[in-house]
């Protein structure tokens, strides 16, 4: 088959006219006509882009050229084109990528493909976003040992003290300070949310006079700053309480003490401050020495500069990675959440017991401490500039309760719940448009419907109640997608009112770093994983048909939350983001949310230290594309090009582990910026080093050389 015949056949297979092919290659119609009639051949610099557009290999195209000087000439020119840098491997033609961004074919992209999740799982809130220092500050769960003291707390003077978690005495005698928000009978859901050991307090009873008893917590990683403390407690008789905050559990000059009198009667709140002179590990003790019964309801310790109970340094990292949309409160945790608890003061909110401890709360004895409610979440979204995206508790909350949530967020201040929001200091409606009808329905780890028919019945009840309150909601359906059965019997059944269907995918790669070769193969499999994601996206589009948007609202490497991150995962994230940029329009996939940045992939938190991982560094670099219009360049997700405000941004990925790769960019414009993320290691704990990228220019062709395992971003004013 001649080259002309190859071009005609491939063009028709791609569904392109000669005019459309000419536009993509930025050549004239006559040029394409000459190629197809055999009257001429593409220019040497047009061969690689032509192959990309027509989905041909260069070898297939060259097979149509007669043997002899003509073919040798083309091959030698290509080799010469790529061999300008002697370090470039010229054995394969794929080491050179020619980029010609088609600025005239701009296609707006969704800003929400740079979305993220904020789920109350593992260390995302606890030990992550939450600024609360004390562990198990609300005394949830079972005692940690036979001494009866609450988990995470160390008894002081246990040999002459009785410790009792109040729920051990039964609900009739409960004296807990924490509680769930009372709701009317019309709001009651399935009743499955009444779980044990959530609302508790800790009784500490000194059995002998002139002894010291109390509780202590160690290994508190503190900053050099002022901390705000609060003790909520009650007593049977007048008693002096002593609080000591000491370095290394030793009372020395680097500590601080505070004493107050606890009076008999109902709950007493004691607010005070303690100054930490230098950063380090500290121990907090709360003691008394009078024979009495002291009941501790809640303890609180926050740095003076917290933001609605959240860490400001973590929030700054969230700003740095460019969170355009934030999905909350889950994920799996959505099935455990009671939104109206968030209307209580944070100290009053009862902890929430996990349905399956290992799925959501393995680090906190199976409990979430309910630190972030709806008002705090919206404040966070506004602080970082993210669109809020809420997931309802589909299985356990009633339609009336979820409709009330919609009204609280979106209702005018003369509606029942809109008025409540205004009374709480938020007169203007939150205008939350995006709502998911549950999470991962049809899987065994979620309570609720297991079949598409069951899901449709329950989702319709919730949907109708919510739309009655706010008709313009954008609703998302859930299920084990991609699935032909769920696509037909669920997503399409709901499509009139539910315009999005949720896709979740976690790349699983067996991790073997036992030898250099095994490590190389493991890292390559991680970096190549976006190819499998693309296959699933296409399968999802097939099972949904053409009238339902895809929401790829959970994606990451499997078990990223249980191990250190690496630069290989950063390159995986870069590949996913560029896949979304290049394909979101074609696949009708306007929402993509990474799962999840805090302590599970993009933001690493160790005590008081907070920094971006390699994945976070990639998000920070590629957020320059957010809000830009796509300028198609070539059929290759190693490159993405967008334009915004006359600034053309081109990002490039090189996942090869051996040799550099040349990228040539043909563009009329002024180079504004060029940055490189590169690394010498892909092993766990690795990050990128950020450098200025060297760019050379000859006759309007800009050339960049990417080292192995790197990501680059260049900007032009055009």
């Amino acid at each position: 088959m001649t080259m002309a015949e190859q071009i005609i056949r491939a063009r028709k297979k791609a569904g392109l006219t000669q005019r459309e092919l000419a536009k993509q290659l930025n050549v004239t119609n006559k040029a394409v006509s000459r190629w197809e009639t055999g009257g001429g051949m593409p220019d040497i610099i047009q061969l690689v882009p032509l192959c990309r557009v027509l989905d041909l290999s260069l070898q297939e195209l060259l097979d149509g050229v007669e043997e002899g000087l003509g073919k040798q000439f083309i091959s030698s020119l290509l080799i010469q084109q790529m061999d300008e840098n002697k370090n470039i491997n010229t054995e394969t033609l794929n080491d050179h990528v020619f980029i010609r961004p088609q600025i005239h074919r701009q296609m707006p992209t969704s800003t929400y493909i740079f979305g993220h999740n904020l789920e109350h799982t593992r260390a995302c809130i606890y030990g992550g976003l939450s600024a609360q220092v004390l562990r198990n500050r609300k005394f949830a769960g079972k005692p940690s040992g036979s001494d009866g003291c609450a988990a995470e707390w160390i008894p002081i003077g246990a040999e002459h003290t009785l410790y009792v978690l109040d729920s051990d005495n039964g609900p009739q005698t409960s004296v807990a300070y924490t509680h769930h928000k009372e709701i009317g009978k019309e709001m009651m859901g399935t009743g499955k949310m009444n779980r044990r050991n959530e609302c508790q307090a800790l009784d500490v009873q000194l059995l002998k006079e002139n002894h010291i008893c109390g509780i202590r917590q160690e290994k508190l990683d503190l900053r050099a700053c002022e901390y705000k403390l609060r003790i909520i407690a009650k007593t049977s008789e007048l008693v002096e309480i002593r609080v000591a905050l000491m370095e290394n559990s030793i009372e020395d000059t680097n500590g601080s003490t505070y004493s107050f009198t606890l009076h008999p009667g109902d709950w007493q709140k004691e607010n005070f401050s303690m100054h930490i002179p230098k950063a380090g590990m500290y121990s907090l003790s709360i003691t008394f020495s009078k024979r009495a019964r002291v009941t501790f309801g809640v303890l609180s310790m926050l740095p003076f500069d917290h933001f609605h109970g959240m860490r400001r340094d973590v929030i700054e990292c969230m700003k740095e990675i460019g969170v355009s949309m934030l999905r909350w409160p889950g994920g799996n945790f959505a099935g455990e959440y009671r939104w109206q608890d968030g209307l209580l003061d944070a100290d009053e909110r009862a902890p929430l017991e996990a349905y399956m401890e290992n799925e959501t709360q393995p680090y906190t004895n199976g409990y979430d401490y309910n630190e972030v409610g709806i008002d705090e979440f919206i404040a966070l979204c506004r602080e970082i500039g993210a669109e809020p995206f809420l997931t309802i508790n589909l299985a356990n909350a009633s339609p009336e309760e979820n409709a009330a949530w919609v009204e609280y967020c979106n209702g005018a201040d003369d509606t029942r719940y809109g008025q409540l929001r205004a009374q709480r200091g938020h007169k203007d409606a939150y205008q939350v448009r995006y709502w998911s009808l549950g999470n991962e329905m049809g899987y065994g780890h979620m309570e609720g419907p297991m079949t598409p028919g069951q899901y449709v019945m329950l989702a319709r009840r919730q949907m109708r109640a919510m739309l009655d309150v706010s008709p313009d909601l954008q609703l998302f359906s859930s299920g084990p997608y991609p699935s032909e059965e769920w696509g037909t019997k669920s997503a399409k059944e709901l499509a009139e009112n539910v315009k999005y269907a949720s896709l979740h995918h976690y790349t699983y790669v067996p991790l073997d770093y036992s030898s250099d070769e095994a490590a190389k193969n493991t890292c390559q499999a991680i970096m190549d994983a976006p190819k499998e994601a693309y296959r699933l996206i296409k399968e999802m589009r097939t099972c949904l048909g053409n009238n339902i948007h895809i929401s790829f609202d959970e994606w990451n490497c499997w078990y990223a939350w249980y191990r250190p991150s690496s630069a290989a995962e950063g390159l995986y994230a870069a590949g996913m983001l560029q896949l979304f940029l290049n394909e979101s329009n074609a696949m009708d996939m306007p929402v993509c949310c990474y799962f999840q940045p805090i302590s599970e992939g993009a933001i690493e938190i160790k005590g008081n230290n907070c920094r971006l991982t390699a994945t976070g560094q990639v998000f920070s670099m590629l957020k320059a594309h957010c809000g830009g219009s796509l300028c198609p360049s070539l059929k290759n997700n190693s490159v993405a090009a967008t334009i915004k405000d006359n600034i053309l941004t081109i990002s490039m990925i090189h996942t090869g582990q051996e040799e550099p790769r040349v990228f040539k960019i043909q563009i009329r414009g002024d180079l504004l910026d060029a940055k490189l993320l590169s690394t010498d290691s892909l092993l766990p704990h690795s990050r990128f080093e950020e450098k200025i990228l060297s760019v050379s220019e000859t006759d309007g062709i800009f050339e960049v050389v990417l080292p192995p395992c790197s990501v680059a971003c260049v900007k032009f004013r055009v």
Side-chain angles (χ1 to χ4, degrees), residues 462-477:
Q462 300 280 4
M463 170 193 77
R464 288 166 181 160
M466 294 166 70
L467 291 176
D468 281 346
V469 173
S470 187
D472 59 346
L473 299 183
Q474 298 294 307
L475 299 178
F476 296 64
S477 66

Side-chain angles (χ1 to χ4, degrees), residues 366-620:
Y367 292 87
D368 172 77
Y369 296 108
N370 222 341
E371 305 293 0
V372 179
I374 181 62
D375 293 332
E376 291 95 342
F377 172 70
I378 294 297
L380 174 64
C381 287
R382 290 178 173 176
E383 178 69 14
I384 66 176
E387 181 79 21
F389 176 11
L390 300 183
T391 306
I392 67 168
N393 189 332
L394 181 101
N396 295 321
S398 68
E400 293 76 16
E401 188 175 357
N402 284 319
W405 196 5
V406 173
E407 186 172 276
Y408 184 84
C409 291
N410 298 348
D413 59 9
D414 59 353
T415 62
R416 177 183 176 185
Y417 281 90
Q419 185 180 52
L420 177 60
R421 183 197 65 244
Q423 290 171 350
R424 292 169 55 83
H426 313 286
K427 180 176 175 60
D428 294 335
Y430 290 155
Q431 300 298 344
V432 180
R433 296 180 294 161
Y434 297 94
W435 298 75
S436 184
L437 302 175
N439 171 76
E440 293 185 354
M441 295 291 106
Y443 289 100
H445 62 266
M446 295 299 299
E447 293 180 285
M450 289 292 112
T451 69
Q454 293 170 342
Y455 177 75
V456 167
M457 289 180 60
L458 186 52
R460 276 188 174 141
R461 291 179 57 214
Q462 300 280 4
M463 170 193 77
R464 288 166 181 160
M466 294 166 70
L467 291 176
D468 281 346
V469 173
S470 187
D472 59 346
L473 299 183
Q474 298 294 307
L475 299 178
F476 296 64
S477 66
S478 176
Y481 289 105
S483 165
E484 187 67 35
E485 180 187 18
W486 277 71
T488 300
K489 298 181 180 180
S490 177
K492 292 178 182 178
E493 286 289 321
L494 297 168
E496 182 178 354
N497 298 107
V498 184
K499 303 299 185 183
Y500 294 79
S502 177
L503 172 64
H504 295 176
H505 174 61
Y506 292 91
T507 292
Y508 174 72
V509 174
L511 304 179
D512 184 358
Y513 300 100
S514 59
S515 68
D516 289 346
E517 187 64 23
K520 179 180 178 181
N521 293 337
T522 294
C523 294
Q524 197 63 54
I526 293 171
M527 295 185 291
D528 290 343
K531 296 175 183 177
E532 172 64 12
Y534 182 44
R535 185 192 67 78
L536 287 175
I537 293 167
K538 291 192 291 184
E539 185 179 342
M540 180 76 162
R541 175 47 57 212
T542 299
C543 77
L544 291 181
N546 297 321
N547 299 319
I548 303 170
H549 308 302
I550 297 174
S551 174
F552 202 155
D553 44 46
E554 287 190 24
W555 64 271
N556 200 342
C557 291
W558 187 244
Y559 279 161
W561 37 94
Y562 289 137
R563 54 179 170 75
S565 184
S566 71
E569 292 174 14
L571 286 158
Y572 154 78
M576 292 292 286
L577 289 174
Q578 297 204 159
L579 169 65
F580 299 154
L581 284 164
N582 288 323
E583 301 293 342
S584 62
N585 284 324
M587 292 295 171
D588 190 11
M589 187 174 63
V591 173
C592 304
C593 298
Y594 177 75
F595 190 99
Q596 63 181 336
I598 302 175
S599 297
E600 302 196 3
I603 301 172
E604 178 185 270
I605 300 172
K606 291 185 177 179
N608 283 315
N609 297 315
C610 176
R611 69 173 186 173
L612 299 187
T613 65
T615 296
Q617 292 174 294
V618 163
F619 271 106
S620 179

